Amino acid sequence: MCTNAMSIALRHVKIIARLGDMSEHDEPVEDLVRATVRNCLLAMQATGTEAADAAEIFEQLLQHELATLPLEKEKFRHVLEAAHLHAEYLVVTDRKSLH
């Protein structure tokens, strides 16, 4: 696993965590979450990481964040789950564009 890719993913997961905190205060963050996920995967690909590998690294970090999150933070959980789904969507879209 590329150290640069992991570093990029960690920074972006921290941003998404901040957006999750904002969502707990009813701030609209959906567009920011999608943009952050897209920027993360693109930055990781720029280091030479394959799209599927980038998404896997990113999703593992999101899962770790989700596992440590208290159950009562429902809106935060929703943000993390939305980020995960958007990463999957972008990988599928990327695969389709190659064919």
Side-chain angles (χ1 to χ4, degrees), residues 74-88:
E74 269 185 60
K75 293 176 185 174
F76 196 136
R77 286 183 171 284
H78 177 73
V79 166
L80 294 176
E81 290 165 357
H84 170 77
L85 290 173
H86 192 60
E88 286 183 354

Side-chain angles (χ1 to χ4, degrees), residues 18-33:
R18 286 189 217 125
L19 294 172
D21 284 332
M22 291 170 62
S23 73
E24 287 291 320
H25 300 287
D26 295 324
E27 295 183 45
V29 297
E30 294 82 14
D31 291 339
L32 294 171
V33 170

Side-chain angles (χ1 to χ4, degrees), residues 43-55:
M44 291 170 72
Q45 288 175 357
T47 68
T49 306
E50 294 292 325
D53 294 336

Side-chain angles (χ1 to χ4, degrees), residues 4 11-12 15 17-18 21 26 29 31 33 35 37 43 51 54 57 61 63 67 69 75 81 85-87 90 92 96:
N4 289 337
R11 283 193 309 265
H12 284 82
I15 293 168
R18 286 189 217 125
D21 284 332
D26 295 324
V29 297
D31 291 339
V33 170
V37 171
I57 293 166
L61 293 173
Q63 289 300 324
L69 190 65
K75 293 176 185 174
E81 290 165 357
L85 290 173
H86 192 60
L90 291 174
V92 168
K96 286 184 179 181

Side-chain angles (χ1 to χ4, degrees), residues 41 45 49-59 91 94-95:
L41 295 180
Q45 288 175 357
T49 306
E50 294 292 325
D53 294 336
E56 183 177 332
I57 293 166
F58 182 70
E59 290 170 5
V91 169
D94 184 58
R95 284 184 187 148

